[in-house]
C-alpha cells in the first residue's frame, strides 16, 4: 500500500524536477512554471483519487512508465505556455515529446507482460496521451493556425458529450485502426512542432491527421447511434 500512495507524490516531484531542469538549462518563465506546476498537481490529485476508487494494492510497473510520460508532457506544456510570450527551445520541446511518445509503446507492453492491465492504468495512459496531444496542438497552432486545436480538444469535447448524452457511453467494438490514428496524432504534431518541414507541407500533413481523427471518433459515434436506434426500435 505505501507504494500505491507514494506514486502520485513521486509523480509530482518528477514534474517539479523536469521544470527545474528546464529552468536551469533553456530557461522557464512564469507562465511555464504556472502551467507545469498546475499540470503536475492535477495529475497527482487525479491519480490519487483513481487509486482510492480502484482500491489498488500496488502501483504497478506500467503506471511508473506512464507517470514518467506525464512528467515529460508537463515539460512540453510548460514550454508551450512560455512560447506564447517568449522564444523557447524547440529542440528540447520536441525531444521531451518524442520520448513521451516512445514510452507510449512501453507502458502497455509492460502492463501485459507483468499482468498489470487495469482499468485505472488504461485510463491513466489515455489521459496522458490526451494531455500531450492537447499541448502539442496548442504549440503547433501558433504557426499553422488555431484550427489545429481541434486535434487536441476533440478527446475532451467527446468526453463532455458523453457526459451529456447517455447513449454515447459504453464500450465500442475493438478497432486497430483507432489505435493507429491515436498514435498518428502525437507523431504528426511532434514533427509539425519541430519546424523541419515547409509550412505548406506541415499544414497538409496536420490537416490529413485531423481528418483521420474525425473519421475515427465519427465511426464510434455512428456505431453508438445505430445501437441506440436499434434499442428504440426493439422497445417500440
Amino acid at each position: 500500500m505505501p507504494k500505491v500512495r507514494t506514486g502520485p507524490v513521486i509523480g509530482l516531484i518528477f514534474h517539479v524536477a523536469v521544470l527545474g531542469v528546464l529552468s536551469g538549462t533553456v530557461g522557464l518563465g512564469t507562465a511555464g512554471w504556472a502551467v507545469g506546476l498546475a499540470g503536475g498537481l492535477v495529475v497527482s490529485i487525479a491519480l490519487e483519487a483513481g487509486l482510492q476508487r480502484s482500491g489498488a494494492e500496488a502501483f504497478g510497473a506500467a503506471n511508473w512508465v506512464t507517470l514518467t510520460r506525464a512528467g515529460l508532457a508537463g515539460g512540453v506544456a510548460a514550454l508551450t505556455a512560455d512560447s506564447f510570450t517568449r522564444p523557447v527551445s524547440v529542440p528540447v520541446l520536441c525531444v521531451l515529446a518524442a520520448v513521451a511518445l516512445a514510452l507510449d509503446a512501453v507502458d502497455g507492453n509492460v502492463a501485459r507482460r507483468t499482468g498489470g492491465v487495469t482499468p485505472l492504468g488504461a485510463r491513466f495512459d489515455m489521459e496522458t496521451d490526451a494531455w500531450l496531444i492537447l499541448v502539442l496542438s496548442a504549440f503547433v497552432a501558433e504557426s499553422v493556425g488555431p484550427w489545429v486545436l481541434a486535434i487536441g480538444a476533440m478527446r475532451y469535447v467527446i468526453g463532455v458529450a458523453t457526459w451529456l448524452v447517455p447513449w454515447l457511453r459504453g464500450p465500442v467494438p475493438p478497432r486497430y485502426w483507432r489505435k493507429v490514428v491515436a498514435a498518428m496524432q502525437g507523431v504528426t504534431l511532434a514533427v509539425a512542432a519541430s519546424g523541419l518541414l515547409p509550412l505548406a507541407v506541415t499544414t497538409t500533413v496536420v490537416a490529413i491527421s485531423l481528418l483521420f481523427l474525425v473519421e475515427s471518433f465519427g465511426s464510434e459515434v455512428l456505431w453508438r447511434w445505430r445501437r441506440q436506434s436499434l434499442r428504440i426500435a426493439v422497445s417500440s
Side-chain angles (χ1 to χ4, degrees), residues 137-194:
S137 68
F139 184 81
V140 175
E142 294 183 65
S143 57
V144 176
W147 59 269
V148 181
L149 288 170
I151 294 177
M154 196 167 301
R155 160 71 179 81
Y156 298 98
V157 171
I158 292 295
V160 172
T162 300
W163 180 67
L164 294 173
V165 184
W167 61 263
L168 285 173
R169 302 169 192 167
V172 294
R175 188 187 183 203
Y176 182 73
W177 175 245
R178 193 178 301 123
K179 296 181 180 180
V180 173
V181 171
M184 181 191 303
Q185 306 310 310
V187 173
T188 299
L189 289 172
V191 172
S194 70

Side-chain angles (χ1 to χ4, degrees), residues 87-113:
V88 298
S89 175
V90 174
V92 171
L93 182 148
C94 290
V95 167
L96 290 176
V99 175
L101 290 169
L103 288 176
D104 188 24
V106 175
D107 50 11
N109 287 330
V110 171
R112 287 186 290 272
R113 291 182 179 181

